[in-house]
């Protein structure tokens, strides 16, 4: 992965771009929201479509010269419909948060009520945290996971919905390791005459591959991001039934955004094309098997794994039982030094600040893209425990770092065409 023209024009940015390729190659990328897209997706994202303004939708643009933008956006839409089975798809949101914004703007008025999962229990900022526009514009109350099991407290959610009478119920999460019972939450939303938004940002790829149940056709709105487990170009997506199509489109543009980022829409189209290949289903299954192996290894080592395991691509560890004196931030720092990149994360019943929380969250989408299997993930679980348990011992960190070097060398990234097979 080389940037000869950037080198010619701007040596400072070129150096940082090169360093980023090296960083991704030489470390274990385990931030649960990240992945490594294919060179084809990268090329599309770096294409001439970055120059094009295309406000509007295919066939109905406000500017001339949109015939190629139309082609690309239409392909992205059709492929998304095939992947997720949605009646209507909007591929223009710049991110998952913008996708959620489009849904809120389409059916809520300021002051309306949102019922969503608490951020500390696995929710997302855009589900109504007070630091986000959603928490500032709307009246938000939050449900929680069961403190004993770590699973969504579905009965508590029903009681809460009956007392709060929300206008929209939000399901789908950012740090929740279990499959979501979409239909159960839909029945709660119906019982209180609320809309239901399912945000599958983290699990778009697992749902597309059929590895997880789909909320499409169950919930009123399904949003997602397109660069996590689905491994396409960066951005967001909204899916809904035909009855909401016009409102969603108007809410994305002109309601919430200006010109679409057509180069990213091209990256989405190419990534969706890749995800339609049978190999993608194998990839998604391996992501989940790898996460289960990681969870088992972390638990066997002595960590408290929230909910006792995982059904998804991610594992959440609450450090308070095994390492009460170590924060997620301290663990994150020591692990980064060893070449294992994940994030400190809040946990259910959080007692520390979100800036230095009590847990760590790790995902397997990126390592699975590199070719890691369950044996490697079990070893990575051992390495994570060793580093956290010896977070201030430089010799242990150096030893783990050497092993990370061996693992990354055995599973190369962005080095040759074999890393990312071309679809037939
Ligand atoms: N920042 C993403 C995550 O890590 O979950 C979501 O926006």
């Amino acid at each position: 992965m080389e940037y000869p023209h950037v080198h010619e024009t701007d040596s400072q940015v070129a150096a940082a771009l090169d360093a980023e390729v090296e960083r991704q190659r030489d470390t274990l990328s385990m931030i649960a929201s990240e992945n490594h897209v294919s060179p084809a997706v990268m090329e599309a994202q770096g294409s001439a479509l970055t120059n094009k303004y295309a406000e509007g939708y295919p066939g109905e643009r406000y500017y001339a010269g949109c015939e190629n933008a139309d082609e690309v956006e239409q392909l992205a839409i059709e492929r998304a419909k095939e992947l997720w089975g949605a009646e209507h798809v909007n591929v223009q949101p710049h991110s998952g948060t913008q996708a959620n914004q489009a849904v809120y703007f389409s059916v809520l008025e300021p002051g309306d009520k949102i019922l969503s999962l608490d951020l500390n229990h696995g929710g997302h900022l855009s589900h109504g945290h007070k630091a986000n526009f959603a928490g500032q514009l709307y009246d938000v109350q939050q449900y929680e996971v069961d403190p004993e099991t770590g699973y969504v407290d579905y009965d508590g959610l029903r009681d809460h919905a009956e007392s709060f009478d929300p206008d929209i119920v939000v399901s789908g999460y950012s740090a929740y390791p279990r499959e979501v019972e979409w239909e159960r939450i839909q029945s709660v939303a119906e019982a209180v005459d609320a809309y239901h938004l399912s945000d599958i940002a983290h699990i778009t790829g697992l749902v597309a591959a059929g590895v997880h149940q789909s909320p499409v056709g169950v919930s009123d709105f399904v949003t997602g991001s397109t660069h996590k487990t689905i491994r396409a170009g960066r951005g967001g997506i909204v899916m809904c039934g035909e009855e909401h199509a016009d409102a969603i489109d108007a809410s994305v543009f002109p309601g919430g955004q200006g010109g679409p980022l057509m180069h990213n829409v091209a990256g989405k189209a190419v990534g969706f094309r890749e995800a339609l290949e049978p190999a993608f289903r194998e990839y998604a299954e391996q992501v989940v098997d790898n996460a289960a192996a990681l969870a088992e290894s972390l638990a066997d080592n002595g960590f408290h794994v929230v909910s006792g395991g995982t059904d998804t691509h991610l594992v959440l560890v609450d450090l308070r039982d095994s390492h009460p004196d170590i924060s997620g931030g301290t663990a994150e720092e020591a692990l980064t030094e060893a070449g294992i990149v994940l994030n400190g994360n809040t946990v259910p019943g959080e007692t520390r600040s979100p800036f230095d929380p009590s847990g760590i969250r790790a995902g397997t989408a990126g390592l699975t893209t590199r070719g890691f299997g369950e044996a490697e993930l079990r070893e990575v679980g051992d390495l994570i425990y060793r580093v956290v348990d010896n977070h201030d011992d430089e010799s242990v960190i150096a030893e783990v770092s050497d092993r990370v070097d061996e693992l990354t060398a055995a599973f190369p990234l962005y080095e040759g065409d074999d890393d990312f097979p071309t679809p037939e």
Side-chain angles (χ1 to χ4, degrees):
M1 190 136 301
E2 286 168 8
Y3 306 100
H5 298 95
V6 187
H7 271 278
E8 238 174 79
T9 307
D10 185 336
S11 59
Q12 289 166 298
V13 168
L17 295 181
D18 286 344
E20 179 59 16
V21 174
E22 291 296 310
R23 190 192 67 77
Q24 292 188 25
R25 266 187 195 144
D26 297 345
T27 59
L28 305 183
S29 266
M30 299 190 75
I31 291 178
S33 44
E34 295 182 2
N35 205 337
H36 304 291
V37 298
S38 70
V41 170
M42 289 234 197
E43 273 178 19
Q45 291 203 136
S47 67
L49 275 174
T50 192
N51 300 327
K52 190 69 196 102
Y53 263 115
E55 282 96 330
Y57 291 100
E60 300 172 342
R61 304 284 188 186
Y62 288 83
Y63 290 111
C66 288
E67 58 274 19
N68 302 311
D70 280 3
E71 170 80 9
V72 163
E73 185 166 348
Q74 199 54 47
L75 283 168
I77 290 169
E78 281 161 17
R79 290 169 183 174
K81 285 183 175 176
E82 201 176 336
L83 281 168
W84 289 284
E87 281 180 12
H88 181 75
V89 178
N90 188 306
V91 294
Q92 291 190 6
H94 301 334
S95 71
T97 291
Q98 262 56 62
N100 289 337
Q101 174 191 287
V103 172
Y104 300 146
F105 284 7
S106 73
V107 290
L108 300 183
E109 297 296 330
D112 277 356
K113 297 181 194 172
I114 297 178
L115 180 59
S116 58
L117 188 71
D118 189 293
L119 185 70
N120 286 346
H121 289 240
H124 188 254
L125 281 171
S126 64
H127 297 176
H129 191 275
K130 59 183 181 312
N132 182 269
F133 79 92
Q136 292 159 11
L137 274 185
Y138 304 111
D139 177 8
V140 180
Q141 289 195 11
Q142 303 208 288
Y143 57 97
E144 299 188 343
V145 299
D146 181 314
E148 294 304 315
T149 64
Y151 282 65
V152 166
D153 177 3
Y154 291 96
D155 292 333
L157 164 58
R158 180 173 287 275
D159 293 345
H160 200 152
E162 281 165 5
S163 63
F164 181 47
D165 192 22
D167 296 290
I168 195 164
V169 177
V170 181
S171 62
Y173 315 111
S174 290
Y176 182 66
R178 294 300 181 176
E179 269 215 81
V180 183
E181 297 185 43
W182 310 113
E183 292 189 4
R184 205 162 161 192
I185 300 181
Q186 175 64 19
S187 79
V188 170
E190 278 172 19
V192 297
D193 200 19
Y195 290 106
H196 180 192
L197 159 62
S198 297
D199 177 351
I200 60 167
H202 270 255
I203 56 166
T204 41
L206 309 184
V207 171
V211 175
H212 269 212
Q213 298 275 320
S214 176
V216 174
V218 176
S219 316
D220 300 287
F221 304 98
V222 177
T223 55
S225 44
T226 50
H227 48 278
K228 295 183 175 121
T229 48
I230 191 67
R231 212 169 53 181
R234 195 173 189 93
I237 188 168
V238 185
M239 297 177 261
C240 60
E242 278 303 337
E243 70 277 21
H244 297 297
D246 290 347
I248 284 294
D249 286 352
S251 188
V252 173
F253 171 81
Q257 296 186 170
L261 308 178
M262 287 312 304
H263 54 305
N264 279 4
V265 173
K268 292 175 189 179
V270 173
F272 296 166
R273 164 81 181 81
E274 293 172 349
L276 283 164
E277 290 291 311
F280 187 79
R281 187 186 166 99
E282 286 165 33
Y283 163 74
E285 283 169 352
Q286 191 63 56
V287 166
V288 171
D289 290 347
N290 281 352
L294 175 68
E296 200 177 272
S297 164
L298 292 169
D300 288 350
N301 272 288
F303 278 136
H304 171 195
V305 171
V306 175
S307 86
T310 183
D311 307 320
T312 68
H313 62 303
L314 71 82
V315 181
L316 188 62
V317 169
D318 185 338
L319 295 167
R320 289 174 299 185
D321 287 347
S322 60
H323 297 86
D325 299 332
I326 303 176
S327 68
T330 302
E332 175 188 306
E333 215 173 293
L335 286 160
T336 304
E337 205 185 325
I340 301 175
V341 184
L342 46 66
N343 64 295
N345 212 90
T346 52
V347 291
E350 182 57 71
T351 42
R352 306 177 65 101
S353 128
F355 295 107
D356 194 18
S358 302
I360 50 175
R361 183 187 69 160
T364 55
L367 295 188
T368 308
T369 292
R370 289 183 86 131
F372 280 54
E374 286 142 272
E376 286 78 26
L377 264 299
R378 267 189 282 275
E379 181 180 354
V380 170
D382 296 341
L383 297 178
I384 290 174
Y385 191 87
R386 250 191 109 197
V387 170
V388 173
D389 206 39
N390 298 279
H391 67 281
D392 47 10
D393 185 334
E394 287 300 325
S395 64
V396 170
I397 290 179
E399 276 171 34
V400 171
S401 173
D402 288 347
R403 182 60 190 143
V404 166
D405 287 347
E406 287 169 4
L407 284 167
T408 54
F411 295 92
L413 178 71
Y414 299 137
E415 278 178 10
D417 290 342
D418 292 349
D419 299 350
F420 289 91
T422 312
E424 297 296 312

